[in-house]
Amino acid sequence: MRHRFSSITEDLLQLHEAMRKRWPGLLRVAIALYDEQKEMLHTFIKSSPDTGLLNHYSIKLQEVPSLVKLAESGEARLIQDLEILKDHHTVHSDAIAEHFKSSYTEPFYMAEKLLGFIFYDADEVGYFDDDLLEQIQNYSRLIESLIVSEMLPVKALIGMIDTAKELTNLRDSETGKHLIRVARFTEIIALQIADKYDLSDEIIEYMYHYAPLHDIGKIAIPDNILLKPGPLEDAEYDIMKTHVDEGLKMVDRMVNHFSFQQIHHLQMLKDIIGDHHEHYDGAGYPKGKKGNEISLVGRITAVADVFDALTSDRIYRKAMPVDEVIAYMKAQKGKQFDSECVDALLVNLDTVLEIIDKFKE
């Protein structure tokens, strides 16, 4: 029998529903992922009666010593009375102590590296008896397997593309740090507009992972065009524009050859690749889409990519001063760019500038 691929959030909701049939007081199951590069812990997926609780929340792992201890030891933590968290004074501890009475937390890993934590929260003090704890440990192994199986194909796809770039000696201005910055800017924009567009933490997580793959089709562009130190002639520019379709073909080949059809949000990756050179007014390429015909993630990535490109040195020009880039982005609102996406980036300018400074070439 064939089954459709459900999202990890749908899987978690089903698991939680099954658990609550026996333990109705188990009100919340949540997963937070750890980003080693940023040293940040951030919300990923959750099943909770309060859908607004700790949405889009992140914190430096080192600011939560109790979780650092769990990560280092690999052991679980049981708190039968959450009153003790009220002295910790973090957003997370205050929210949990306000809404729940007891909790159980486990760290989980991939290839011996911390991947994140699973949190179980109940509405009664002392709710976690031996029977529930035994079952939770079984559910935790299942949840860990779901998340690892979700992440491995994504990481494998990204690794394959990175390897292809190395093997083809791809050498253009899109350095590793450029890709990091584009991913960060994409995340900033997505978080800023998340409530309006109902973007879950799971969706934003995939945007963050997929944004650096926006220009993978450049592997297919000849070096004499890709690395040309001056302006491209019309015929050369036409060839350069084919990198969008080449990128889409590359994804399709990898999906088919390596049976990656189960990768969730694969259409998101295709939208990033296919739409990030479209212009809001319809003057972009490859299809001349306009306005909301362009996917939201494509509109977001376009702003992130161009802002970073203009503030970075490229083989054919020097970086523009930040104030000039800001003026350009504002002038292109409603033309090249979605106005909301530009505003979402610029309202977080201090964070954007910190990222530029941290990931300098």
Side-chain angles (χ1 to χ4, degrees), residues 73-307:
S73 69
E75 297 177 354
R77 179 187 68 184
L78 174 61
I79 302 178
Q80 292 284 29
D81 187 349
L82 288 172
E83 281 290 321
I84 65 171
L85 289 185
K86 291 186 176 179
D87 295 330
H88 290 201
H89 302 302
T90 67
V91 173
H92 176 263
S93 62
D94 289 347
I96 295 302
E98 178 182 352
H99 288 82
F100 308 105
K101 300 298 184 182
S102 55
S103 76
Y104 178 83
T105 306
E106 283 193 32
F108 63 100
Y109 307 82
M110 185 164 68
E112 298 186 356
K113 287 190 175 183
L114 178 68
L115 189 56
F117 296 88
I118 306 175
F119 302 92
Y120 300 87
D121 301 304
D123 63 355
E124 296 178 15
V125 172
Y127 192 78
F128 294 86
D129 59 22
D130 290 343
D131 187 24
L132 174 55
L133 289 173
E134 181 179 353
Q135 293 304 315
I136 276 180
Q137 288 164 8
N138 293 331
Y139 275 107
S140 291
R141 303 293 80 74
L142 182 56
I143 291 171
E144 290 171 16
S145 297
L146 286 171
I147 295 173
V148 171
S149 66
E150 175 100 352
M151 290 298 174
L152 275 177
V154 174
K155 291 181 179 294
L157 179 63
I158 293 170
M160 287 176 186
I161 291 169
D162 288 343
T163 301
K165 288 181 178 181
E166 293 170 6
L167 292 176
T168 55
N169 296 313
L170 181 64
R171 303 177 307 278
D172 73 334
S173 55
E174 303 219 333
T175 64
K177 290 183 178 179
H178 163 72
L179 301 181
I180 291 172
R181 294 191 300 265
V182 169
R184 296 288 186 88
F185 298 162
T186 295
E187 182 182 42
I188 287 170
I189 297 169
L191 285 169
Q192 187 67 35
I193 64 176
D195 289 342
K196 177 174 181 178
Y197 289 97
D198 196 25
L199 300 179
S200 68
D201 289 310
E202 180 184 356
I203 290 173
I204 295 172
E205 180 77 12
Y206 279 91
M207 287 187 185
Y208 175 76
H209 282 298
Y210 286 149
L213 305 181
H214 59 284
D215 273 339
I216 60 171
K218 286 186 176 179
I219 292 174
I221 304 301
D223 280 0
N224 65 306
I225 295 175
L226 189 66
L227 304 178
K228 186 174 180 178
L232 297 177
E233 297 177 3
D234 289 345
E236 293 172 326
Y237 186 54
D238 286 340
I239 294 173
M240 176 65 84
K241 289 192 291 185
T242 65
H243 79 272
V244 174
D245 287 334
E246 293 296 336
L248 293 171
K249 291 176 186 176
M250 188 179 304
V251 171
D252 284 337
R253 285 195 294 268
M254 289 186 174
V255 167
N256 291 329
H257 290 170
F258 297 97
S259 299
F260 282 163
Q261 289 86 355
Q262 78 274 23
I263 294 181
H264 299 314
H265 309 300
L266 190 60
Q267 185 58 47
M268 179 193 295
L269 172 58
K270 293 182 177 182
D271 287 341
I272 287 173
I273 295 169
D275 286 356
H276 77 282
H277 283 297
E278 300 287 2
H279 290 187
Y280 202 75
D281 61 5
Y285 67 89
K287 295 184 177 179
K289 295 180 181 180
K290 64 169 58 177
N292 291 342
E293 293 175 356
I294 308 167
S295 63
L296 177 61
V297 70
R299 304 194 310 263
I300 292 172
T301 311
V303 170
D305 182 38
V306 173
F307 185 90

Side-chain angles (χ1 to χ4, degrees), residues 283-329:
Y285 67 89
K287 295 184 177 179
K289 295 180 181 180
K290 64 169 58 177
N292 291 342
E293 293 175 356
I294 308 167
S295 63
L296 177 61
V297 70
R299 304 194 310 263
I300 292 172
T301 311
V303 170
D305 182 38
V306 173
F307 185 90
D308 190 70
L310 295 178
T311 54
S312 306
D313 288 339
R314 289 296 172 95
I315 199 166
Y316 48 86
R317 60 151 176 79
K318 287 291 187 180
M320 292 170 56
V322 171
D323 57 346
E324 291 183 19
V325 176
I326 293 171
Y328 175 81
M329 303 296 290

